[in-house]
Coordinates of all heavy atoms in Angstrom, one line a residue:
E274 N -37.4 24.2 12.5 CA -36.1 23.7 13.3 C -36.5 22.7 14.4 O -35.6 22.0 14.8 CB -35.3 24.8 13.7 CG -36.0 25.8 14.5 CD -35.2 27.2 14.6 OE1 -34.8 27.7 13.6 OE2 -35.1 27.6 15.7
S275 N -37.8 22.6 14.8 CA -38.1 21.6 15.8 C -38.8 20.4 15.3 O -39.2 19.5 16.1 CB -39.0 22.3 16.9 OG -38.4 23.4 17.4
L276 N -39.0 20.4 14.0 CA -40.0 19.3 13.4 C -39.4 17.9 13.6 O -38.2 17.7 13.3 CB -40.1 19.6 11.9 CG -41.4 19.0 11.4 CD1 -42.6 19.6 11.9 CD2 -41.4 19.0 9.8
R277 N -40.3 17.1 14.1 CA -39.8 15.7 14.4 C -40.6 14.7 13.6 O -40.1 13.6 13.3 CB -39.9 15.4 15.9 CG -38.8 16.2 16.6 CD -38.5 15.6 18.0 NE -39.6 16.1 18.9 CZ -40.1 15.3 19.9 NH1 -39.7 14.1 20.1 NH2 -41.0 15.8 20.7
Y278 N -41.9 15.0 13.3 CA -42.7 14.0 12.5 C -43.2 14.8 11.3 O -43.8 15.8 11.4 CB -43.9 13.5 13.4 CG -43.4 13.1 14.8 CD1 -43.5 14.0 15.8 CD2 -42.8 11.9 15.0 CE1 -43.2 13.6 17.1 CE2 -42.4 11.5 16.3 CZ -42.6 12.4 17.3 OH -42.2 12.0 18.5
M279 N -43.1 14.1 10.2 CA -43.6 14.7 8.9 C -44.3 13.6 8.0 O -43.7 12.5 7.9 CB -42.4 15.3 8.2 CG -42.7 15.8 6.9 SD -42.7 17.6 6.9 CE -42.6 17.9 5.1
D280 N -45.4 14.0 7.6 CA -46.1 13.1 6.7 C -46.3 13.8 5.3 O -47.0 14.7 5.2 CB -47.5 12.7 7.2 CG -48.1 11.5 6.5 OD1 -47.7 11.2 5.4 OD2 -49.0 10.7 7.1
L281 N -45.7 13.2 4.3 CA -45.8 13.7 2.9 C -46.4 12.7 2.0 O -46.3 12.8 0.8 CB -44.4 14.1 2.4 CG -43.8 15.4 2.9 CD1 -42.4 15.6 2.5 CD2 -44.6 16.6 2.4
S282 N -47.0 11.6 2.6 CA -47.4 10.6 1.8 C -48.7 11.0 1.0 O -49.3 11.9 1.3 CB -47.7 9.3 2.6 OG -48.6 9.6 3.6
D283 N -48.9 10.2 -0.1 CA -50.1 10.4 -0.9 C -50.2 11.7 -1.6 O -51.2 12.4 -1.6 CB -51.4 10.1 0.0 CG -52.6 9.9 -0.9 OD1 -52.5 9.8 -2.1 OD2 -53.8 10.0 -0.3
N284 N -49.0 12.1 -2.1 CA -49.0 13.4 -2.9 C -48.6 13.0 -4.3 O -48.7 11.9 -4.7 CB -48.1 14.3 -2.3 CG -48.7 15.0 -1.1 OD1 -49.6 15.9 -1.2 ND2 -48.3 14.8 0.1
R285 N -48.2 14.0 -5.1 CA -47.9 13.7 -6.5 C -46.4 14.0 -6.8 O -46.0 14.4 -7.9 CB -48.7 14.5 -7.5 CG -50.3 14.5 -7.2 CD -50.8 13.1 -7.3 NE -50.4 12.4 -8.6 CZ -51.0 12.6 -9.8 NH1 -52.1 13.3 -9.8 NH2 -50.6 12.0 -10.8
L286 N -45.6 13.9 -5.7 CA -44.2 14.3 -5.9 C -43.4 13.3 -6.9 O -43.6 12.1 -6.7 CB -43.5 14.1 -4.5 CG -44.0 15.0 -3.4 CD1 -43.4 14.7 -2.1 CD2 -43.9 16.5 -3.8
T287 N -42.8 14.0 -7.9 CA -42.1 13.2 -8.9 C -40.6 12.8 -8.5 O -39.9 12.2 -9.2 CB -42.1 13.8 -10.2 OG1 -41.7 15.2 -10.1 CG2 -43.6 13.9 -10.8
A288 N -40.2 13.5 -7.4 CA -38.8 13.2 -6.9 C -38.9 13.4 -5.4 O -39.7 14.1 -4.8 CB -37.8 14.1 -7.5
I289 N -38.0 12.7 -4.7 CA -37.9 13.0 -3.2 C -37.3 14.4 -3.1 O -36.3 14.8 -3.7 CB -36.8 12.0 -2.6 CG1 -37.2 10.6 -2.9 CG2 -36.7 12.3 -1.1 CD1 -37.9 9.8 -1.9
P290 N -38.0 15.3 -2.3 CA -37.6 16.6 -2.2 C -36.4 16.8 -1.3 O -36.5 17.4 -0.2 CB -38.8 17.4 -1.6 CG -39.6 16.3 -0.9 CD -39.2 15.0 -1.5
T291 N -35.3 16.3 -1.8 CA -34.1 16.2 -0.9 C -33.7 17.6 -0.3 O -33.4 17.7 0.8 CB -32.9 15.6 -1.8 OG1 -33.3 14.4 -2.3 CG2 -31.7 15.4 -0.9

Side-chain angles (χ1 to χ4, degrees):
E274 51 201 48
S275 306
L276 203 67
R277 291 197 279 142
Y278 313 99
M279 171 110 164
D280 194 339
L281 283 173
S282 56
D283 196 12
N284 280 292
R285 311 298 311 274
L286 301 174
T287 49
I289 306 261
T291 305

